[in-house]
Amino acid sequence: MKKNIFVANWKMNLTVAETKNLAEKLGQSLRSFKNDKTEIILCPAFTALDDLCTVLRKENPADLKIGAQDVFWEEKGAFTGEISAKMLKEVDCRYVIVGHSERRKNLGETDEMVNKKVKILLENDLVPIVCVGETFLERQKGLRDVIVARQTEAALRDVKLFGNKKIIIAYEPVWVIGTGQAVEPEDAEHSHRMIREALMENFPADVLEKHFQIIYGGSVDSKNIKDFVDRENIDGVLVGGASLKVEEFVKMIKQLA
Ligand code: 13P
């Protein structure tokens, strides 16, 4: 039985000190809580990864995992400002978010770049968390399914999966991110089915079953989380704002138990 995925994307919100503080509080709050159903992944800013790694190496009863918010697609070299997969592994990162809509919009991240990032991550045995999702305008034009399928297929072009390699696809309708108003769970599930269909174009059913999980992101909180993960086609969540508050975070994890 696969575990539910809970990814906390802390975006550009916490300093190193704040990250450590939040992680320590989460560790304490979840200490006595038997968490065997959920894979909890914390994605702080790059600057905080090393300290988070130190905190979790010392004590980690809740088995919190570390993720990054981006990676560069080359192994190493003259790429000013970038971070490599090897650098992320060094600080115990196991997961990396790629293609987040905020990067697509603000930094011009394209499907081709996302594809290259997915490949370098898999080569380095890291798990890509590939974000896909339509904007409000695209949805209004009836393009949701087309966009979601295109982004999924493009991100995974020529990707080979074997052994224990894993990919998480996160469906995030861009227009509900940070609004406090998620889409209806059945609406999200429709997109998850579209993603599954797009994957089926390129991967056989057994590969799909073994190597992929599809999660939902966009204004998830302790009130709606269960409605999403209770759906058959939704394997977990990617949470922004609500994951920055200890109480809310813990409430959400308890809902998944
Ligand atoms: P919110 O949960 O704040 O809507 O953010 C979602 C998100 O973008 C996670 O990657």
Side-chain angles (χ1 to χ4, degrees):
M1 180 80 178
K2 279 185 194 165
K3 287 185 177 181
N4 268 318
I5 307 280
F6 181 99
V7 186
N9 179 6
W10 288 342
K11 306 192 181 183
M12 199 180 72
N13 283 305
L14 305 177
T15 62
V16 176
E18 289 163 345
T19 300
K20 281 166 64 181
N21 186 31
L22 180 52
E24 276 162 4
K25 285 193 174 140
L26 289 172
Q28 281 156 17
S29 307
L30 294 168
R31 175 184 299 278
S32 55
F33 175 68
K34 193 166 168 289
N35 172 39
D36 51 4
K37 293 220 175 85
T38 311
E39 185 97 334
I40 306 172
I41 303 152
L42 309 179
C43 304
F46 284 140
T47 50
L49 285 169
D50 191 25
D51 280 67
L52 179 61
C53 168
T54 308
V55 167
L56 297 184
R57 273 186 193 164
K58 234 185 274 161
E59 214 193 359
N60 188 8
D63 197 22
L64 305 172
K65 303 280 196 305
I66 303 176
Q69 297 176 21
D70 190 31
V71 67
F72 193 60
W73 57 76
E74 296 288 348
E75 283 290 351
K76 68 180 289 183
F79 303 105
T80 303
E82 297 297 341
I83 298 275
S84 74
K86 191 172 162 194
M87 291 168 184
L88 296 177
K89 279 181 85 166
E90 191 181 24
V91 287
D92 287 356
C93 253
R94 290 289 164 269
Y95 299 81
V96 181
I97 298 171
V98 291
H100 193 284
S101 59
E102 286 149 15
R103 294 193 61 83
R104 290 184 194 256
K105 177 168 169 265
N106 299 323
L107 292 143
E109 189 149 320
T110 63
D111 287 338
E112 290 71 31
M113 292 178 194
V114 176
N115 179 240
K116 288 200 258 185
K117 291 180 181 190
V118 168
K119 287 177 180 159
I120 196 83
L121 290 174
L122 291 172
E123 274 168 33
N124 284 279
D125 291 322
L126 290 159
V127 179
I129 302 170
V130 183
C131 300
V132 301
E134 80 289 356
T135 62
F136 188 60
L137 201 63
E138 286 162 344
R139 177 172 279 233
Q140 273 186 324
K141 288 184 183 159
L143 293 173
R144 166 178 53 160
D145 296 357
V146 178
I147 297 291
V148 165
R150 190 207 73 209
Q151 290 180 346
T152 304
E153 279 170 25
L156 302 177
R157 191 154 297 144
D158 302 325
V159 163
K160 305 270 176 296
L161 285 165
F162 50 86
N164 289 325
K165 297 196 188 291
K166 232 176 87 170
I167 295 182
I168 298 170
I169 310 277
Y171 169 60
E172 293 205 305
V174 179
W175 50 285
V176 301
I177 292 176
T179 62
Q181 187 63 58
V183 296
E184 291 299 322
E186 51 269 35
D187 187 304
E189 205 176 25
H190 168 86
S191 297
H192 284 223
R193 275 196 297 272
M194 291 298 115
I195 291 168
R196 241 173 253 283
E197 278 178 25
L199 292 172
M200 270 154 59
E201 298 280 321
N202 295 304
F203 300 96
D206 59 322
V207 172
L208 209 66
E209 179 55 32
K210 181 167 177 219
H211 298 276
F212 284 95
Q213 280 181 286
I214 308 176
I215 64 177
Y216 168 78
S219 293
V220 172
D221 58 26
S222 63
K223 290 188 200 76
N224 60 24
I225 189 166
K226 201 155 171 2
D227 299 335
F228 286 104
V229 292
D230 277 353
R231 295 262 156 181
E232 201 188 327
N233 287 298
I234 301 185
D235 304 321
V237 286
L238 173 53
V239 189
S243 72
L244 290 163
K245 301 169 219 143
V246 184
E247 269 183 29
E248 184 66 2
F249 194 118
V250 173
K251 259 196 217 167
M252 288 189 280
I253 297 301
K254 292 193 170 166
Q255 302 265 339
L256 299 182

